[in-house]
């Protein structure tokens, strides 16, 4: 079990010294400035997701070795979601070994349970989602392997969607090996569903692995290929295709921001905004949550990825998100906004955003490494620590 109480900067420093690198040598390999490495290692500046991924790649360690994930709970209730991981892992390993003793239920009932699982993921209720996934995966595996014709395609589509729930949990909790395995299962089931758009969506999903490994050029290439395959004429696209197309531009914007290439990043945001305009409103085709709200959320994320706190806060000031936005997206937005406020020197605004993230998506917030980095920085900066900050740090398990 990892110790999530240690700062990422200290972990980077230890790993760097074990590799025999100077700060300058690590900075050249990330790449970034030596000053940034020094500030992060001393705890004077929070480590960004891009820096963590780049340092992990340069030092040849897993991202979790630098973040300290997964952050196990301090009580049975807090640790409940982690306790389900072995069962989920066994379900993934049995992808081609259907249990013939499992009686198949009608597809309508299985589809209803998959829809329930998707809602739990959308609401970032990972504990409840994790409890139903192993049994649902076993049922769907048995049904899909034991069915022929169009019904088989439908069952594999449901199976792919359910595997996506595993990737959501693995990402949120920091089980990166499980996430990679689940991603393979998502792609396999999507291919078997004979749905080209679902397959394209899995490539968008696959691109997150390139984010974690700091392989930004490869991730960008993958998303370019997806757009070539589905076409670029948004005027001729139906709503699901627009969602997949727009989502690839949003992800491409994050890749560009991490390179960093501000011009390309904002150009992708512009393309996504135009696709959202044609779509007309927020939608949730293939679980992508694409639409005007997600474009606005990504505007803040792009600025944060480039350490531009002023721009992040400016863009956030113009956002009015509707109550229909998924909690999982709102959680990400407030976590990014907290970082943007911190970079902009607004400590009170940063803490306020963290509390908003906790309110809408507590499990996501508790397990996010950037939340811990932000809180550690706030603790170090506040000479007279407010009770609200101490309470939040205690909730995270940070001494």
């Amino acid at each position: 079990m990892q110790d999530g109480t240690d700062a990422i900067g200290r972990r980077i420093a230890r790993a760097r010294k074990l590799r025999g690198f100077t700060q300058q040598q690590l900075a050249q390999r990330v790449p970034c400035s030596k000053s940034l490495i020094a500030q992060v290692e001393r705890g004077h500046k929070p480590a960004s997701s891009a820096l963590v991924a780049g340092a992990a790649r340069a030092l040849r360690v897993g991202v979790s070795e630098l973040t300290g994930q997964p952050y196990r709970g301090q009580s049975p209730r807090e640790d409940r979601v982690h306790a389900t991981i072995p069962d989920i892992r066994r379900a993934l390993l049995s992808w081609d070994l259907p249990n013939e003793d499992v009686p198949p239920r009608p597809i309508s009932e299985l589809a209803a349970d998959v829809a329930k699982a998707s809602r739990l993921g959308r609401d970032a209720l990972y504990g409840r989602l994790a409890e139903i996934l192993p049994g649902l995966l076993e049922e769907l595996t048995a049904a899909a392997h034991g069915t022929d014709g169009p019904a088989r395609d439908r069952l594999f589509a449901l199976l792919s969607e359910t595997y996506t729930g595993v990737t959501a949990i693995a990402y949120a909790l920091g089980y990166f090996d499980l996430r990679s395995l689940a991603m393979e299962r998502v792609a396999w089931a999507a291919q078997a569903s004979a749905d080209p758009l679902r397959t394209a969506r899995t490539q968008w999903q696959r691109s997150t692995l390139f984010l974690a490994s700091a392989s930004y050029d490869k991730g960008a290439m993958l998303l370019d290929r997806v757009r070539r395959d589905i076409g670029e004429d948004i005027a001729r696209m139906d709503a699901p295709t627009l969602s997949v197309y727009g989502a690839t531009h949003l992800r491409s914007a994050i890749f560009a921001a991490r390179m960093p290439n501000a011009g390309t990043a904002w150009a992708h945001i512009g393309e996504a905004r135009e696709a959202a305009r044609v779509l007309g409103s927020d939608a949730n085709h293939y679980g992508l949550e694409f639409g005007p709200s997600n474009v606005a959320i990504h505007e803040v994320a792009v600025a944060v990825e480039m350490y531009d706190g002023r721009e992040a806060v400016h863009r956030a000031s113009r956002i009015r998100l509707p109550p229909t936005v998924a909690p999982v997206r709102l959680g990400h937005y407030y976590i990014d906004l907290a970082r943007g406020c911190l970079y902009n020197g607004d400590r009170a605004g940063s803490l306020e955003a963290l509390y908003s993230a906790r309110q809408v998506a507590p499990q996501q917030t508790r397990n996010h490494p950037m939340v811990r980095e932000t809180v550690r920085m706030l603790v170090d900066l506040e000479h007279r620590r407010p009770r609200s900050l101490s309470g939040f740090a205690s909730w995270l398990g940070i001494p």
Side-chain angles (χ1 to χ4, degrees):
M1 182 174 67
Q2 298 276 16
D3 177 10
T5 64
D6 206 356
I8 291 176
R10 294 195 192 100
R11 292 174 178 274
I12 290 176
R14 282 200 298 268
R16 174 180 61 78
K17 292 171 185 176
L18 282 174
R19 286 285 179 267
F21 291 171
T22 65
Q23 290 180 338
Q24 181 63 50
Q25 288 171 327
L26 176 57
Q28 290 171 343
R29 287 167 170 80
V30 169
C32 65
S33 68
K34 175 182 178 294
S35 173
L36 178 58
I37 295 294
Q39 289 181 78
V40 168
E41 288 190 355
R42 291 197 298 266
H44 296 166
K45 195 167 189 176
S48 66
S49 299
L51 179 63
V52 173
R57 179 179 181 178
L59 296 170
R60 297 181 180 179
V61 299
V63 168
S64 61
E65 291 188 48
L66 301 183
T67 62
Q69 293 171 288
Y71 311 127
R72 299 298 297 255
Q74 302 301 310
S75 68
R77 180 180 178 184
E78 293 175 356
D79 200 57
R80 185 180 65 174
V81 63
H82 295 278
T84 65
I85 296 300
D87 288 339
I88 292 175
R89 197 181 298 276
R90 281 189 286 271
L92 293 186
L93 294 174
S94 303
W95 62 280
D96 61 343
L97 299 170
N99 187 344
E100 296 179 356
D101 296 330
V102 174
R105 287 189 290 156
I107 292 181
S108 59
E109 293 183 18
L110 291 171
D113 281 356
V114 173
K116 176 183 177 182
S118 296
R119 286 193 300 272
L120 291 173
R122 190 175 187 269
D123 293 341
L125 296 175
Y126 299 122
R128 290 167 58 186
L129 173 60
E131 288 175 349
I132 70 173
L133 281 178
L136 184 55
L137 285 171
E138 186 176 43
E139 279 194 272
L140 286 167
T141 300
H145 282 286
T147 305
D148 294 317
R152 182 179 185 274
D153 295 345
R154 172 64 174 146
L155 285 165
F156 271 106
L158 293 172
L159 188 56
S160 179
E161 188 173 341
T162 307
Y163 281 133
T164 294
V166 178
T167 69
I169 291 174
Y171 170 75
L173 301 184
Y175 290 94
F176 297 104
D177 63 328
L178 181 65
R179 184 185 179 195
S180 296
L181 178 60
M183 209 78 80
E184 293 177 6
R185 300 293 183 262
V186 169
W188 163 74
Q191 191 69 37
S193 75
D195 180 349
L197 266 187
R198 184 173 293 281
T199 300
R201 189 254 194 236
T202 65
Q203 295 303 300
W204 168 87
Q205 196 171 356
R206 174 189 170 197
S207 71
T208 60
L209 299 177
F210 291 104
L211 279 177
S213 64
S215 301
Y216 306 133
D217 54 343
K218 295 294 185 183
M221 287 172 58
L222 174 63
L223 295 170
D224 286 344
R225 188 173 71 189
V226 172
R227 286 191 292 272
R228 285 196 304 270
D229 289 345
I230 65 177
E232 299 273 0
D233 186 357
I234 62 175
R236 302 172 66 90
M237 293 180 184
D238 60 13
T241 306
L242 278 169
S243 288
V244 175
Y245 174 83
T248 65
H249 273 297
L250 292 180
R251 181 63 52 74
S252 291
I254 299 298
F255 277 114
R258 288 198 180 185
M259 286 183 183
N261 188 326
T264 301
W266 294 120
H268 280 298
I269 289 292
E271 295 287 349
R273 187 184 298 113
E274 180 61 14
R277 184 192 67 78
V278 175
L279 184 62
S281 61
D282 293 340
N284 192 28
H285 304 293
Y286 296 101
L288 290 169
E289 301 288 344
F290 181 72
S293 295
N294 210 356
V295 173
I297 287 170
H298 274 76
E299 289 185 40
V300 175
V302 163
V304 169
E305 290 290 351
M306 295 187 290
Y307 273 115
D308 193 343
R310 181 178 181 181
E311 184 67 18
V313 171
H314 170 66
R315 290 187 179 253
S317 69
R318 302 185 302 180
I319 295 176
R320 296 295 181 269
L321 296 174
T324 53
V325 173
V328 69
R329 292 302 322 146
L330 275 178
H332 276 296
Y333 167 69
Y334 285 122
I335 290 168
D336 281 336
L337 180 57
R339 295 165 63 198
C341 288
L342 178 62
Y343 299 162
N344 199 44
D346 182 3
R347 289 176 242 170
S350 181
L351 184 58
E352 181 181 354
L354 288 174
Y355 267 99
S356 294
R358 174 178 169 177
Q359 181 178 9
V360 298
Q363 292 178 3
Q364 177 189 47
T365 303
R366 183 194 290 274
N367 288 284
H368 203 295
M370 293 301 101
V371 170
R372 291 168 181 261
E373 278 295 281
T374 303
V375 169
R376 286 192 179 97
M377 185 58 56
L378 289 173
V379 168
D380 288 343
L381 290 172
E382 294 286 1
H383 298 295
R384 292 185 176 182
R385 191 182 308 170
R387 183 175 300 177
S388 56
L389 177 57
S390 296
F392 201 97
S394 177
W395 178 71
L396 292 174
I398 297 176

